[in-house]
Amino acid sequence: MRKLIAGGIFATLIASSVAASGLQIEVAGEANGTVTIDLLEDIAPQHAARMMELAAAGKYDGVVFHRVIDGFMAQTGDVQHGTDPTNLGRAGTGGSDMPDLPAEFSDVPFDKGVVGMARSQSPNSANSQFFIMFDAGHFLNGQYTVVGRVTGGQDVVDAIKRGTGGNGAVVGAPDMMKTVTVID
């Protein structure tokens, strides 16, 4: 009987970890608050799994928003070079120690609050970086992987410190993801 109960508890724990489908991001800086993201595992299963894996390992904690373009998006997630807010020179050039992911393009449009995976010119180069849309950016449709959408805290996203110039590089102290937690 104990084995059945223990097995049932173990199965419940496994099922709940598999059912995890979102991230809770505590943002600190000019913007302060919580952003909740629903990850779209049915649309981009590999990308959603990667984000949950990095969050569960604490890799996103303390990572800055290094590229923020008013009216467009806020980019973060460089777990390799994005953790030193006093030295942003290489932020946005790194990823994780895991391999890049193949594109998972869909017909989900890049509307306000949509979360997309950042990549280089190669469609199959997404790794850890992602961006959150401030407004619609339909020119991205079918060219970048949509991995989620903001379900709470878009006001916090909208308050993230903006960068300057065409590339949106943040000058001075950037806002950061203080902690990122996997949620159901």
Side-chain angles (χ1 to χ4, degrees), residues 23 40 53 57 68 98 102 113 134 152 158 181:
L23 299 177
L40 304 175
E53 184 176 357
V68 185
M98 293 180 263
F134 289 132
D158 291 342
T181 309

Side-chain angles (χ1 to χ4, degrees), residues 49-74:
R50 171 67 56 86
M51 291 180 75
M52 287 189 286
E53 184 176 357
L54 290 169
K59 300 289 187 179
Y60 282 138
D61 295 353
V63 175
V64 300
F65 287 90
H66 64 273
R67 182 173 182 237
V68 185
I69 301 174
D70 193 36
F72 181 32
M73 60 86 212

Side-chain angles (χ1 to χ4, degrees), residues 57-146:
K59 300 289 187 179
Y60 282 138
D61 295 353
V63 175
V64 300
F65 287 90
H66 64 273
R67 182 173 182 237
V68 185
I69 301 174
D70 193 36
F72 181 32
M73 60 86 212
Q75 185 170 328
T76 185
D78 183 347
V79 300
Q80 185 178 14
H81 302 299
T83 58
D84 182 357
T86 63
N87 183 9
L88 297 178
R90 295 188 65 200
T93 64
S96 71
D97 57 359
M98 293 180 263
D100 290 344
L101 296 168
E104 295 178 301
F105 297 153
S106 68
D107 60 356
V108 176
F110 277 91
D111 291 327
K112 181 174 182 149
V114 165
V115 180
M117 291 299 287
R119 61 172 177 81
S120 70
Q121 290 190 348
S122 169
N124 300 315
S125 62
N127 189 292
S128 65
Q129 293 186 48
F130 62 94
F131 56 91
I132 307 171
M133 301 298 291
F134 289 132
D135 205 348
H138 292 175
F139 60 93
L140 301 174
N141 293 352
Q143 297 183 51
Y144 287 80
T145 297
V146 171

